[in-house]
Amino acid sequence: MIKALQQLRVPYGKKVSLDSYPTDDLLSNKPLDKEKIQQATEGLQQQLSDLQEKLYAGGQQSLLIVLQARDGAGKDSTVKRVMGAFNPNGVHVANFKAPTALELEHDFLWRIHQQVPAHGMIAVFNRSHYEDVLVTRVHGLIDDEQAKQNLMHIINFEQLLADAGTRIVKFYLHLSPEEQKLRMEDRLNDPAKHWKFNPDDLKDRALWHEYTAAYEDAFTTSRKHAPWYVIPADRKWLRDYLISQILVHTLEEMNPQFPEAHFEAADYVVADIPDKKG
Amino acid sequence: MIKALQQLRVPYGKKVSLDSYPTDDLLSNKPLDKEKIQQATEGLQQQLSDLQEKLYAGGQQSLLIVLQARDGAGKDSTVKRVMGAFNPNGVHVANFKAPTALELEHDFLWRIHQQVPAHGMIAVFNRSHYEDVLVTRVHGLIDDEQAKQNLMHIINFEQLLADAGTRIVKFYLHLSPEEQKLRMEDRLNDPAKHWKFNPDDLKDRALWHEYTAAYEDAFTTSRKHAPWYVIPADRKWLRDYLISQILVHTLEEMNPQFPEAHFEAADYVVADIPDKKG
């Protein structure tokens, strides 16, 4: 794994400061070559497609990709531009919105558990169980004690999935407040983007530092089987490249294989079909 | 809609003979230009992506795409190559395999109903409720009377979905027995494709004419809100082109629109974020 990616990974079980992660660059001083990086991303997309085919055919393991971010950080566009590399047959995107009345009558992991990937599959969580230590906490629906308990349940739940052959990889799309401002203004000013703007997003923006603190607690669930990565998200092409790179790395580590045939090819002959009688 | 496509559509409520539909060509005598058709398909894919964005944003209607075919006709590859044009956020692929014990304890539409698309979404059924008038009938698990009853329930069920804003489009990938033989032999002879070969597929192949008869009955469910199309499937690039073309046509007819904004953009200002206190 390239060094820059290691630096974006939250150390397992540690508390980190979000300020120490870049929003628009890697941690090196080298200038970034946009065109070269976009080309590299295309190559990575082909690798992702090939690795997924093996994961699907092998049917032994599964991959759960968690996307979390502030409004406008590019969750939807990441799904379109990065996850678009996967064969739709083997990928399932779950968009977790405000819970329904029925969902609220269960524990917070009930609706999540129903959407985890089966063997061979990739699931993408566009928002996730982490909302239950983020939005609910920041808006005072749960207190710090409850948030701590939820985090413990999340750790146990992710361990359960990992023990059943599911690899988890969690991305936080790290956007600067300045870039968020530009993107929100863009949605306000361009009528074709109005539908993406929700006035409530401004309330969440005003809680910027509260969200930062809640995210920093959420990142303490980073584990070898379920690492968090803090992805610089101010530049879309850099974001796409880094996420693609990390997914390739993750799938290579999982090392999926085509299954062995359970038959002897020589035993079978594909016969001609006789014409229909009568 | 171009004339060739109209000819591939099964007349509503009519019984047709599968023999009258081509497997490797259109119904005209003009020779097909592969390169030109592949270029056209790329353009259609961009149209599909744009139309889907509106469908998703509008959130008023949904699209259900049903894929049925014999083994090797290219259902999986159609999903990858055609449905790959859609933003994964707004598409859900349901692969219906042999029903589970729990599913068998319900009516045959129970598991199907759970997977129909929500407003704004596209669902792709890779195999579908039609298996319950095809494989079960051909293998004698249900008799003709039961198949007739199931067909009636399918018609009623599809009407229910249509009345709730779901447009349905059903594709039968029409493969010739000769092309199926070549593809099966290819799977047997190429170790990298062994995992796609199931010895039971040969039993289904031997029931070729029985399947033909069952499909011809299934096609009688063709309706304006849920038409069947018989797609020549011996050539993958022609299949991809025709399905893309029909999907563009279907979505254009649905005419999805971006929603109106429920706010005045001028009422909102995106404020700067003050530095963290203390």
Side-chain angles (χ1 to χ4, degrees):
Chain A
M1 184 173 215
I2 68 171
K3 204 176 155 221
L5 295 190
Q6 251 173 339
Q7 291 175 322
L8 300 178
R9 192 177 64 206
V10 175
Y12 307 141
K14 291 264 165 55
K15 176 96 180 236
V16 296
S17 163
L18 207 40
D19 280 346
S20 62
Y21 292 86
T23 61
D24 70 342
D25 208 334
L26 291 176
L27 295 163
S28 80
N29 293 320
K30 277 187 237 159
L32 296 169
D33 182 334
K34 177 175 173 181
E35 209 165 300
K36 239 177 149 173
I37 285 185
Q38 285 178 318
Q39 273 174 15
T41 304
E42 277 178 39
L44 291 166
Q45 298 256 308
Q46 187 54 52
Q47 279 183 272
L48 284 178
S49 172
D50 295 344
L51 284 160
Q52 185 207 8
E53 192 183 7
K54 285 189 183 177
L55 183 78
Y56 186 79
Q60 299 293 313
Q61 305 177 80
S62 50
L63 177 63
L64 170 57
I65 301 167
V66 170
L67 290 180
Q68 285 288 156
R70 303 176 200 255
D71 297 308
K75 291 187 299 300
D76 289 352
S77 120
T78 300
V79 170
K80 182 173 181 179
R81 293 162 49 146
V82 181
M83 315 311 164
F86 296 128
N87 182 338
N89 246 325
V91 69
H92 164 64
V93 181
N95 290 286
F96 291 103
K97 300 182 179 162
T100 65
L102 177 65
E103 287 167 353
L104 284 172
E105 288 178 28
H106 296 80
D107 68 85
F108 78 102
L109 293 172
W110 181 74
R111 65 174 185 157
I112 306 293
H113 211 156
Q114 296 173 27
Q115 308 270 2
V116 300
H119 288 162
M121 296 288 292
I122 296 174
V124 181
F125 283 4
N126 191 349
R127 302 188 186 273
S128 68
H129 41 309
Y130 282 94
E131 290 297 333
D132 274 285
V133 293
L134 294 167
V135 65
T136 52
R137 185 180 186 187
V138 165
H139 288 277
L141 300 174
I142 61 169
D143 62 17
D144 289 354
E145 200 49 45
Q146 185 68 52
K148 208 172 149 186
Q149 199 182 68
N150 284 0
L151 278 172
M152 185 198 69
H153 288 308
I154 286 176
I155 290 168
N156 293 340
F157 174 67
E158 293 184 351
Q159 184 68 55
L160 169 73
L161 301 184
D163 287 347
T166 301
R167 180 72 177 256
I168 305 165
V169 56
K170 302 175 286 199
F171 295 106
Y172 172 69
L173 310 185
H174 191 23
L175 192 70
S176 66
E178 296 76 23
E179 179 67 20
Q180 189 189 50
K181 183 177 181 179
L182 292 176
R183 294 188 186 179
M184 283 185 163
E185 286 174 345
D186 188 41
R187 288 178 178 187
L188 272 169
N189 297 333
D190 180 350
K193 292 182 182 166
H194 273 174
W195 66 279
K196 294 184 182 180
F197 180 80
N198 179 347
D200 283 343
D201 294 351
L202 291 178
K203 295 181 194 159
D204 276 335
R205 176 172 165 82
L207 295 164
W208 188 274
H209 298 306
E210 289 80 356
Y211 269 106
T212 298
Y215 268 113
E216 287 171 352
D217 281 345
F219 297 154
T220 61
T221 67
S222 191
R223 296 288 183 280
K224 190 169 170 28
H225 59 267
W228 270 109
Y229 289 91
V230 179
I231 304 293
D234 283 359
R235 297 195 246 188
K236 294 173 188 173
W237 48 271
L238 179 59
R239 174 201 72 196
D240 292 345
Y241 166 75
L242 292 169
I243 293 179
S244 302
Q245 181 71 262
I246 290 164
L247 289 176
V248 164
H249 166 75
T250 304
L251 282 160
E252 280 179 346
E253 268 198 355
M254 293 168 73
N255 194 25
Q257 299 292 331
F258 287 117
E260 298 283 321
H262 294 293
F263 58 88
E264 286 295 324
D267 290 349
Y268 294 95
V269 173
V270 185
D272 288 329
I273 301 295
D275 282 344
K276 194 157 50 179
K277 302 147 209 153
Chain B
M1 184 171 213
I2 66 172
K3 203 176 157 221
L5 295 190
Q6 252 173 338
Q7 292 175 321
L8 300 178
R9 192 178 64 203
V10 175
Y12 306 141
K14 292 266 166 54
K15 177 96 180 234
V16 296
S17 163
L18 208 40
D19 279 348
S20 62
Y21 291 86
T23 61
D24 69 344
D25 209 335
L26 291 177
L27 294 164
S28 81
N29 293 320
K30 277 187 233 155
L32 297 169
D33 182 334
K34 177 174 173 181
E35 211 165 299
K36 241 176 149 172
I37 285 186
Q38 284 178 320
Q39 273 174 14
T41 304
E42 276 179 39
L44 291 167
Q45 299 257 306
Q46 187 53 52
Q47 280 183 272
L48 284 178
S49 172
D50 295 344
L51 284 160
Q52 184 207 9
E53 192 183 6
K54 284 189 184 175
L55 183 78
Y56 186 80
Q60 300 294 315
Q61 305 177 80
S62 50
L63 176 63
L64 170 56
I65 301 167
V66 170
L67 292 178
Q68 284 289 156
R70 304 177 200 254
D71 298 306
K75 291 188 299 299
D76 289 352
S77 118
T78 300
V79 171
K80 182 173 181 178
R81 292 161 50 148
V82 182
M83 317 310 164
F86 295 127
N87 181 339
N89 247 326
V91 69
H92 163 64
V93 182
N95 291 285
F96 291 102
K97 300 180 179 163
T100 65
L102 177 65
E103 287 167 355
L104 284 172
E105 288 178 28
H106 296 80
D107 68 84
F108 78 101
L109 294 172
W110 181 74
R111 65 173 185 158
I112 305 293
H113 212 156
Q114 296 173 27
Q115 309 271 0
V116 301
H119 288 163
M121 297 288 292
I122 296 174
V124 181
F125 283 3
N126 191 348
R127 301 187 186 276
S128 69
H129 41 308
Y130 283 94
E131 290 297 332
D132 274 285
V133 292
L134 294 167
V135 64
T136 51
R137 184 180 188 188
V138 165
H139 287 277
L141 299 174
I142 61 170
D143 61 18
D144 289 354
E145 200 49 46
Q146 184 69 51
K148 207 172 149 187
Q149 198 181 70
N150 284 0
L151 278 171
M152 184 197 69
H153 288 308
I154 286 175
I155 289 168
N156 293 339
F157 175 67
E158 292 183 351
Q159 184 68 55
L160 170 74
L161 301 184
D163 288 347
T166 301
R167 179 73 178 254
I168 305 166
V169 56
K170 302 176 286 197
F171 296 107
Y172 170 69
L173 310 184
H174 191 24
L175 192 70
S176 66
E178 296 76 24
E179 180 65 20
Q180 188 188 52
K181 183 177 181 179
L182 293 176
R183 293 189 188 178
M184 283 185 164
E185 285 173 345
D186 188 40
R187 289 178 178 187
L188 273 168
N189 297 333
D190 181 351
K193 292 181 181 166
H194 273 174
W195 67 278
K196 294 185 182 179
F197 181 80
N198 180 347
D200 283 343
D201 293 351
L202 291 179
K203 293 181 194 159
D204 275 336
R205 175 172 165 82
L207 294 164
W208 189 274
H209 298 305
E210 288 80 356
Y211 269 105
T212 298
Y215 269 112
E216 287 171 351
D217 280 345
F219 296 154
T220 60
T221 68
S222 192
R223 295 289 182 280
K224 190 167 168 31
H225 59 266
W228 270 108
Y229 289 91
V230 179
I231 303 293
D234 283 359
R235 297 195 248 188
K236 295 173 188 172
W237 48 270
L238 179 60
R239 173 201 73 198
D240 292 346
Y241 166 76
L242 292 169
I243 293 179
S244 302
Q245 181 73 262
I246 291 165
L247 290 176
V248 165
H249 167 75
T250 303
L251 282 160
E252 280 179 347
E253 268 198 355
M254 293 168 72
N255 194 24
Q257 299 292 332
F258 287 117
E260 299 284 320
H262 294 292
F263 58 88
E264 286 295 324
D267 290 348
Y268 294 96
V269 173
V270 186
D272 288 329
I273 300 297
D275 282 344
K276 195 156 52 181
K277 302 146 210 155

